[in-house]
Amino acid sequence: MEIYYLWGKYALFFGHRNVYGNIDQELEKQVEKLIIQENIDTFWIGGYGEFDKLASRTVRKMQEKYPVIRLILIIAYAGQLHRFGDEFPFDGFDYPPEAENAPQKFAISARNHYMAENCDMVISHIVHDYGGAYDAVRTAKSKGKIIINLVK
């Protein structure tokens, strides 16, 4: 596995650990819309929870139609790479210094902040106003990022 730095636009996924409702079709629709209309070629994922699993499967499905797109795992801990395999297949990874240098207790928040700062757009599944995903989306919104929230 290698680190990818593509020169297109980045979208990322933020969501709570659990998925509430059936959002599969809407997620597919929004991912394809970003590829076609916004020239997104790279999708970032944190690799935790049901929403990230669904997002990973969706990007993989879209790669059959749009082979140029990539799914990049942004890790919070070095050991995170060894946990995934088939559960979160990805094309490359990044380990941002913000996460690497943060105390372990704050590594996920530091990674999420990095992602929110450096993406172009966010696809989220936020249903309540607390937790790490909520905070990350709030950070992205404060930076003027476009947020697409999939709530059913």
Side-chain angles (χ1 to χ4, degrees), residues 4-51:
Y4 281 86
Y5 290 100
L6 301 178
W7 303 110
K9 293 170 87 178
Y10 301 92
L12 62 85
F13 300 98
F14 282 137
H16 302 302
R17 182 170 307 274
N18 297 315
V19 172
Y20 300 92
N22 184 352
I23 62 167
D24 300 44
Q25 289 181 342
E26 184 63 22
L27 180 58
E28 272 187 42
K29 177 181 153 190
Q30 293 301 327
V31 167
E32 188 164 32
K33 184 176 176 181
L34 292 181
I35 294 166
I36 294 169
Q37 294 180 6
E38 301 295 336
N39 297 316
I40 298 290
D41 67 0
T42 305
F43 291 89
W44 288 349
I45 195 165
Y48 288 103
E50 290 177 19
F51 181 66

Side-chain angles (χ1 to χ4, degrees), residues 115-129:
M115 291 171 73
E117 290 257 335
N118 292 288
C119 72
D120 295 296
M121 307 181 110
V122 176
I123 297 178
S124 65
H125 181 62
I126 305 297
V127 296
H128 43 74
D129 60 354

Side-chain angles (χ1 to χ4, degrees), residues 137-151:
V137 169
R138 197 173 60 189
T139 297
K141 195 176 288 186
S142 76
K143 300 297 179 184
K145 309 301 179 170
I146 297 170
I147 312 294
I148 301 164
N149 192 23
L150 309 174
V151 177

Side-chain angles (χ1 to χ4, degrees), residues 70-96:
R70 296 289 173 254
L71 180 64
I72 307 301
L73 176 68
I74 310 295
I75 62 173
Y77 313 103
Q80 189 177 357
L81 285 175
H82 303 292
R83 289 189 25 211
F84 293 107
D86 292 338
E87 189 175 10
F88 289 99
F90 52 91
D91 299 306
F93 73 95
D94 191 3
Y95 188 18

Side-chain angles (χ1 to χ4, degrees), residues 96-109:
E98 292 85 343
E100 185 177 8
N101 296 325
Q104 185 168 357
K105 181 178 179 179
F106 301 108
I108 291 174
S109 294

